[in-house]
């Protein structure tokens, strides 16, 4: 990954690049930032910059053999270590294939996402065990393959627990030209002995504007949708990715079913749907409702503007047209305001299940009066 592919964080990039150029890069860095921030992306871009055989003043070239190997996570002198669910006998390398696949796709995932990929048994919690620490020591004591520096990118050192002593000693007295990048989320869970031996790089969470730009760039979302998701994900790129990748078609379908159930006064169906919506969780539910709002908004516009071109997926367009011909403007407007209000309350921790059921009753009332 090149620095140019890391969103924002310009001042940190500048500092890192300056220290590489001045030959003053600390040998042990701690990239500390909240979930969904650019900490792993920065560590990857820095490593690539260090190894690049043709770096510019601002970035690695992205094309030399080192850059390509680091991008594909296959450089023999760049090692990765991360919590795994392989039990006491497992090491990170057992999961390197899955790790490469995930990291090349997305650098903002959290430990739960990662554990879900590696754990055969849901109850297995990820860990950085003593066997892994020994493996790190062996790898870093060997001669480098390509005659250059050796690096370790250690993701989530919070999971080291008691196993860290041997590693700490290595960080304190590192072999020649060895770089450590520790990538962590929670400073409280880190041993003071780790923080005191590393140079801290604090990685802030992303702004809404940066999240919006990321979504437009990576997923080609339209600006309005990107803005909605950016707002809901609160600067957490991982949450943003999850929101985009959650099956939106299902949401459109669920919204359609819900509107029809309210319209046809089918309370049994309303109750089942309220259950499913509740199960989405607070953030997804807000997204589901916000998505519903855009369907209503499009209906209003289609109703009032001649030859209006509906901005929605093809399969939603028929529903929007039908909606705007079945219901009158004030009914749609009222429903819009009520859904909006429920989003507001759900953000403020209202009981989602009750809020949705009440909302369904209000919508049903609007629809009945419309008939
Ligand atoms: Zn290069």
């Amino acid at each position: 990954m090149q620095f140019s592919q890391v969103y924002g964080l310009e001042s940190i990039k500048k500092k890192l690049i300056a220290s590489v150029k001045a030959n003053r890069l600390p040998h042990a860095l701690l990239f500390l930032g909240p979930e969904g921030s650019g900490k792993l992306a920065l560590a990857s871009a820095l490593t690539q910059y260090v190894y690049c055989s043709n770096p510019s003043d601002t970035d690695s070239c992205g094309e030399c053999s080192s850059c390509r190997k680091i991008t594909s996570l296959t450089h023999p002198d760049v090692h990765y270590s991360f919590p795994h669910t392989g039990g006491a006998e497992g090491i990170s390398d057992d999961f390197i294939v899955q790790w490469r696949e995930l990291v090349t796709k997305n650098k903002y995932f959290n430990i739960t996402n990662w554990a879900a990929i590696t754990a055969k048994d849901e109850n297995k919690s990820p860990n950085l065990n003593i066997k892994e620490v020994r493996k790190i020591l062996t790898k870093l004591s060997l001669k480098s393959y390509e005659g250059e520096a050796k690096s370790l990118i250690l993701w989530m050192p919070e999971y080291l627990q008691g196993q860290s002593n041997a590693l700490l000693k290595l960080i304190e007295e590192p072999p020649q030209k060895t770089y450590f990048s520790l990538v962590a989320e929670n400073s409280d869970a880190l041993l003071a002995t780790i923080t005191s031996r590393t140079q801290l790089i604090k990685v802030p969470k992303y702004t809404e504007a940066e999240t919006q730009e990321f979504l437009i760039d990576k997923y080609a979302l339209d600006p309005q949708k990107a803005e909605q998701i950016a707002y809901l994900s609160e600067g957490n790129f991982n949450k943003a990715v999850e929101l985009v990748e959650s099956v939106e078609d299902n949401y459109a379908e669920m919204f359609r079913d819900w509107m029809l159930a309210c319209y046809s006064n089918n309370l049994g169906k309303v109750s089942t749907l309220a259950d499913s919506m509740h199960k989405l969780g607070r953030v997804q539910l807000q997204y589901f409702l916000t998505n519903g709002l855009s369907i209503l908004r499009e209906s209003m516009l289609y109703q009032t503007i001649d030859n209006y071109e509906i901005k929605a997926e093809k399969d939603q367009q028929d529903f929007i047209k039908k909606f705007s011909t079945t219901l009158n403007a004030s009914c749609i407007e009222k429903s819009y305001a009520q859904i909006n209000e429920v989003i507001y309350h759900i953000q403020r921790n209202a009981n989602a299940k009750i809020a949705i059921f009440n909302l369904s009753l209000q919508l049903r009332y609007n629809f009945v009066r419309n008939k």
Side-chain angles (χ1 to χ4, degrees):
M1 177 174 235
Q2 291 180 275
F3 278 117
S4 62
Q5 293 165 307
V6 182
Y7 287 81
L9 309 171
E10 298 307 329
S11 65
I12 305 180
K13 289 179 195 170
K14 268 192 194 134
K15 265 187 215 157
L16 291 172
I17 289 169
S19 62
V20 174
K21 288 203 322 206
N23 236 334
R24 280 189 290 102
L25 183 68
H27 79 279
L29 295 170
L30 172 61
F31 293 87
L32 181 67
E35 181 194 319
S37 64
K39 54 195 185 297
L40 180 59
L42 269 179
S44 308
L46 172 67
T47 306
Q48 187 159 319
Y49 191 70
V50 168
Y51 283 82
C52 177
S53 51
N54 192 21
S56 73
D57 281 350
T58 53
D59 217 338
S60 54
C61 76
E63 284 164 8
C64 69
S65 146
S66 297
C67 278
R68 276 188 278 123
K69 283 180 198 158
I70 290 173
T71 302
S72 58
L73 284 79
T74 53
H75 195 293
D77 293 322
V78 178
H79 305 286
Y80 296 86
S81 200
F82 37 80
H84 63 75
T85 49
E89 286 308 306
I91 55 170
S92 301
D93 281 351
D94 298 339
F95 300 93
I96 192 71
V97 174
Q98 292 99 314
W99 176 259
R100 281 183 191 135
E101 198 182 324
L102 181 61
V103 174
T104 45
K105 218 172 71 190
N106 155 11
K107 290 187 173 58
Y108 310 99
F109 55 89
N110 65 19
I111 190 80
T112 313
N113 307 135
W114 170 238
I117 292 173
T118 61
K120 291 184 190 87
D121 170 1
E122 270 183 23
N123 296 319
K124 269 200 168 156
S125 42
N127 198 6
L128 275 162
N129 58 16
I130 187 69
K131 201 167 171 194
E132 175 60 21
V133 172
R134 288 201 190 111
K135 185 78 193 172
I136 295 173
L137 298 183
T138 312
K139 282 175 177 172
L140 295 181
S141 63
L142 294 172
K143 229 176 136 246
S144 76
Y145 286 89
E146 307 212 337
E148 293 286 327
K150 282 172 290 181
S151 291
L152 173 74
I153 296 183
L154 171 56
W155 184 65
M156 301 300 275
E158 292 94 322
Y159 286 78
L160 272 172
Q161 296 163 354
Q163 286 78 287
S164 54
N165 278 344
L167 188 65
L168 285 171
K169 204 165 165 342
L170 188 73
I171 294 178
E172 204 160 47
E173 295 163 19
Q176 269 251 307
K177 284 204 96 174
T178 304
Y179 294 106
F180 297 88
S181 292
L182 277 54
V183 180
E185 244 161 50
N186 179 0
S187 60
D188 294 338
L190 282 174
L191 298 165
T193 41
I194 290 187
T195 43
S196 67
R197 283 165 174 82
T198 49
Q199 171 104 24
L200 177 65
I201 310 282
K202 245 187 151 170
V203 185
K205 77 173 188 177
Y206 280 115
T207 63
E208 266 179 46
E210 282 164 338
T211 314
Q212 189 182 0
E213 186 196 320
F214 164 71
L215 290 170
I216 293 172
D217 195 25
K218 189 165 159 117
Y219 294 95
L221 291 191
D222 69 67
Q224 200 178 38
K225 187 163 257 170
E227 192 183 351
Q228 284 171 6
I229 297 180
Y231 171 68
L232 292 173
S233 45
E234 299 173 312
N236 178 338
F237 276 18
N238 188 43
K239 222 189 239 182
V241 168
E242 283 181 347
L243 283 171
V244 175
E245 291 180 350
S246 59
V247 262
E248 281 193 36
D249 292 349
N250 281 355
Y251 280 4
E253 205 180 301
M254 200 198 282
F255 187 77
R256 203 159 46 209
D257 289 350
W258 182 39
M259 291 299 108
L260 287 173
C262 293
Y263 187 77
S264 59
N265 205 3
N266 183 345
L267 281 185
K269 180 86 182 162
V270 164
S271 163
T272 318
L273 285 166
D275 254 357
S276 316
M277 288 180 229
H278 171 67
K279 281 187 192 131
L280 293 176
R282 208 164 281 279
V283 174
Q284 295 278 354
L285 178 57
Q286 285 175 57
Y287 182 55
F288 165 78
L289 292 172
T290 316
N291 212 40
L293 282 185
S294 51
I295 291 180
L296 293 193
R297 187 176 48 235
E298 289 301 305
S299 302
M300 278 193 271
L301 293 170
Y302 183 74
Q303 205 172 50
T304 45
I305 301 170
D306 282 343
N307 300 322
Y308 178 72
E309 218 173 286
I310 296 171
K311 289 187 201 68
E313 308 282 323
K314 257 211 143 43
D315 60 327
Q316 288 186 36
Q317 294 196 3
D318 287 342
F319 176 66
I320 290 169
K321 284 180 193 164
K322 210 181 245 170
F323 208 79
S324 64
T325 46
T326 312
L327 302 174
N328 63 43
S330 76
C331 171
I332 299 179
E333 220 176 296
K334 198 164 179 195
S335 307
Y336 186 95
Q338 287 163 345
I339 295 176
N340 212 7
E341 201 180 320
V342 166
I343 296 176
Y344 175 88
H345 289 302
I346 286 172
Q347 273 168 355
R348 280 154 192 78
N349 293 329
N351 181 318
K353 208 164 163 179
I354 294 175
I356 289 292
F357 197 78
N358 283 345
L359 174 61
S360 306
L361 296 181
Q362 287 175 336
L363 295 174
R364 183 188 65 147
Y365 185 68
N366 299 345
F367 298 163
V368 169
R369 285 190 30 168
N370 173 83
K371 280 178 191 170

